[in-house]
Amino acid sequence: MIPLTDGLSARNFPFVNIALILANFAVWLFYELPHLNSSIFHASFYACTVDGSCKGPEPWGISWVTAMFMHASWSHILGNMIFLFVFGKNVEDAFGHLRYLVFYFAGGFIAMMTQTLMTLAFGTALDARVPNLGASGAIAAVLGAYFVLYPTSTVRGLLVVFPIRMSAWFFLGFWFLYQLFEANFGVFSAGANGGGVAFFAHVGGFLFGVVVTLALANAGRISPQEAQSLAPA
């Protein structure tokens, strides 16, 4: 299912979320497309650089950030940005602009490190040399936060070409279970145009989003919209 809207208007304009989307498209259009394979090779993240078993084009302390803005194809970036556009605005609204930005990058880091840990612990040397890329891990953290904050909102989207609607808890819960299934029974990294999109990163990012959001909500540090104040977008 491709989500199109959650029907919730944010209380404040999502400056950070829009800036992240624009940054991802800018990297795709002006950096990646002219030389796709070489760009992916240079700016992606390699698990083997963490344990020193290989030397990547960039140190892993830099490449985990650059990899978050890299995508392997039009379908990859469009899918990621649709999810970020639909679900990110309300998470930013609850977190506040600065906290949301920190949360997004922290989610991306935890997601990448989750994938790295699983690859180094259970994968092969070849798996550790596959370039990992994409904003998916950070977006998974956003989805985990949304799952906690707005479980009863209604997600409207398309199942192939058929319009469909379902509760956010069901949609995001199914999405997470699918990622967990793929992580356990699939390959550690799925290759595309010389790069990989890692399912363990999705799992780690989502769980990070759930745990951090629950902690902040219980501490009274974030303020989600009240149900009665939600208005259709």
Side-chain angles (χ1 to χ4, degrees):
M1 175 179 168
I2 301 173
L4 298 178
T5 180
D6 63 347
L8 305 183
S9 297
R11 293 168 295 191
N12 301 291
F13 187 80
F15 293 104
V16 173
N17 205 55
I18 296 299
L20 289 170
I21 292 172
L22 292 176
N24 276 277
F25 273 117
V27 170
W28 170 251
L29 291 172
F30 301 114
Y31 175 69
E32 289 197 73
L33 277 185
H35 307 284
L36 184 58
N37 286 334
S38 61
S39 298
I40 287 175
F41 171 77
H42 185 266
S44 293
F45 178 88
Y46 300 84
C48 57
T49 60
V50 175
D51 67 355
S53 59
C54 76
K55 182 176 176 60
E58 296 291 343
W60 72 266
I62 295 175
S63 62
W64 77 264
V65 177
T66 59
M68 285 174 58
F69 294 90
M70 302 291 292
H71 292 85
S73 64
W74 274 108
S75 61
H76 187 198
I77 188 170
L78 289 175
N80 271 348
M81 294 305 103
I82 287 172
F83 271 77
L84 186 57
F85 178 78
V86 172
F87 298 107
K89 67 184 189 305
N90 296 102
V91 176
E92 180 178 348
D93 195 64
F95 274 63
H97 304 305
L98 181 58
R99 187 178 285 125
Y100 176 72
L101 181 62
V102 173
F103 169 79
Y104 183 88
F105 277 92
F109 176 78
I110 294 299
M112 196 71 76
M113 291 304 105
T114 302
Q115 178 62 36
T116 299
L117 174 63
M118 298 303 293
T119 301
L120 294 179
F122 302 106
T124 65
L126 186 59
D127 292 327
R129 292 175 179 270
V130 172
N132 291 284
L133 67 159
S136 307
I139 295 171
V142 173
L143 300 186
Y146 192 100
F147 182 78
V148 172
L149 295 169
Y150 307 106
T152 61
S153 68
T154 300
V155 179
R156 297 174 177 84
L158 294 175
L159 185 60
V160 189
V161 295
F162 301 101
I164 192 171
R165 54 187 293 170
M166 63 183 68
S167 64
W169 74 265
F170 183 86
F171 175 77
L172 295 176
F174 180 83
W175 180 90
F176 175 73
L177 291 176
Y178 176 76
Q179 308 307 311
L180 193 61
F181 174 86
E182 288 292 337
N184 281 309
F185 297 102
V187 191
F188 279 90
S189 299
N193 288 332
V197 182
F199 287 103
F200 277 113
H202 302 174
V203 172
F206 188 92
L207 291 177
F208 170 82
V210 168
V211 171
V212 168
T213 304
L214 284 173
L216 291 175
N218 290 335
R221 303 297 298 272
I222 56 178
S223 176
Q225 296 158 275
E226 297 294 336
Q228 62 267 26
S229 69
L230 300 178

